[in-house]
Amino acid sequence: MNTERSTDHIWPENCNPLRGGLKGRLAEDFCVLQGTVDALTRYLEQQAPEPVRSTGLDTLREMSRRIQRLERLADNAADLALGTQLRQLRPAFPLELADHLRGVCTCAQEELAACGRAVRLTLRNETERGLWLEADEALLNSLLANLISNSVRAGADTVELTCTENRRLVYRDNGPGAAPEAVAMLTEGTLTGDLLNRGVTGLLLVREYAAALGWKTEEAQGTDGFSVVFALPQHCPDPSRLVLADDANSRQQMLAQCRHCLRREFAAVLEE
């Protein structure tokens, strides 16, 4: 037994904005749409003659794939619309960052391999006592999923995450790097019309997720490929936010949530 974060990451009084607001309405519509596709799939499998069955099932499989992509885009749009309000909707709990990142690297490498992408993810932990902070795992997983998928799409095959003693998280890949205006958007918040036309949704989300976590983005100096530095807030433990939990069960739950987030991101983005 040890002190861990609560397994419920949303306070009851904050559930309504997520369930009944923009994200809730979108989720409900996509659920109905996917349910309809599933029902038609079962009907064709059991009732339709050939060649209607094969043609129809191929079409429904493609529809299901595109529904998943649209659902991801809709969630991203909702997160951008909510902006830093995500921080109020999803309160933070104590988390040791290096341990969490170790799990993310393992899950991401496995999920990328399942997508046919050979990418090496490594973690360097330069801290002696661990890097504790308060964060919401869902926001953190979404931030990392967007960064990793952007790196892979850009052609990187190596990603390195570094936790430093001065409370920095450094993300670096060996890809071609980002345009200066894209880096400026990520670190300074400046967004040009040309950049928006080229599509920077992933980096916009990274910036919003970082802001919701209370992190500041900084440009990494003198490196090849794409890199960004996150300055992490100081950690001031609040005993009232700690609960007793089974460590093994808590870690398995964390890995399952992380894997789900990564699998959804990679399936939607890396097949485009």
Side-chain angles (χ1 to χ4, degrees), residues 15-258:
C15 285
N16 286 338
L18 292 178
R19 292 178 178 171
L22 178 60
K23 296 193 75 161
R25 294 195 299 273
L26 289 170
E28 181 180 1
D29 287 342
F30 278 114
C31 183
V32 171
L33 185 58
Q34 184 63 60
T36 303
V37 170
D38 291 343
L40 286 172
T41 299
R42 287 192 296 272
Y43 173 79
L44 288 176
E45 288 175 340
Q46 298 171 9
Q47 304 291 334
E50 290 291 355
V52 174
R53 179 188 301 139
S54 296
T55 302
L57 289 176
D58 287 344
T59 301
L60 289 173
R61 277 191 289 269
E62 178 61 19
M63 286 179 63
S64 184
R65 187 175 72 87
R66 291 186 178 274
I67 288 171
Q68 292 176 6
R69 287 171 57 182
L70 286 171
E71 185 175 14
R72 170 190 163 272
L73 288 172
D75 269 358
N76 289 348
D79 283 344
L80 286 173
L82 288 169
T84 54
Q85 290 301 310
L86 287 169
R87 190 174 189 180
Q88 283 72 49
L89 294 173
R90 306 191 67 96
F93 289 90
L95 176 147
E96 202 287 296
L97 185 60
D99 182 61
H100 186 87
L101 294 177
R102 195 171 292 110
V104 171
C105 287
T106 298
C107 291
Q109 195 155 289
E110 292 173 356
E111 292 301 320
L112 286 168
C115 295
R117 306 295 183 104
V119 182
R120 182 170 177 261
L121 291 100
T122 59
L123 171 67
R124 291 177 55 199
N125 184 12
E126 299 175 352
T127 65
E128 294 183 359
R129 299 182 181 179
L131 186 51
W132 284 90
L133 69 159
E134 299 220 350
D136 176 76
E137 285 184 359
L139 293 178
L140 178 53
N141 290 339
S142 295
L143 181 150
L144 293 168
N146 274 278
L147 281 174
I148 295 169
S149 63
N150 282 347
S151 293
V152 176
R153 289 188 69 187
D157 58 17
T158 299
V159 172
E160 182 182 76
L161 299 167
T162 304
C163 295
T164 71
E165 282 287 0
N166 64 338
R167 299 191 64 82
R168 297 295 191 273
L169 169 61
V170 183
Y171 179 95
R172 180 178 293 111
D173 69 30
N174 68 339
E181 56 268 31
V183 175
M185 186 278 298
L186 183 59
T187 58
E188 301 171 16
T190 57
L191 181 61
T192 65
D194 180 63
L195 186 62
L196 190 60
N197 289 335
R198 283 187 277 155
V200 290
T201 305
L203 292 181
L204 278 171
L205 282 164
V206 167
R207 180 172 175 81
E208 291 299 331
Y209 290 140
L213 288 164
W215 297 7
K216 294 182 179 179
T217 52
E218 302 173 348
E219 185 176 355
Q221 302 296 327
T223 59
D224 296 328
F226 170 79
S227 59
V228 64
V229 179
F230 298 99
L232 312 179
Q234 292 300 313
H235 178 57
C236 300
D238 179 356
S240 68
R241 306 293 292 279
L242 299 177
V243 297
L244 289 176
D246 181 85
D247 187 54
N249 181 67
S250 179
R251 181 164 181 80
Q252 287 302 312
Q253 182 186 49
M254 181 275 286
L255 291 174
Q257 292 172 345
C258 175

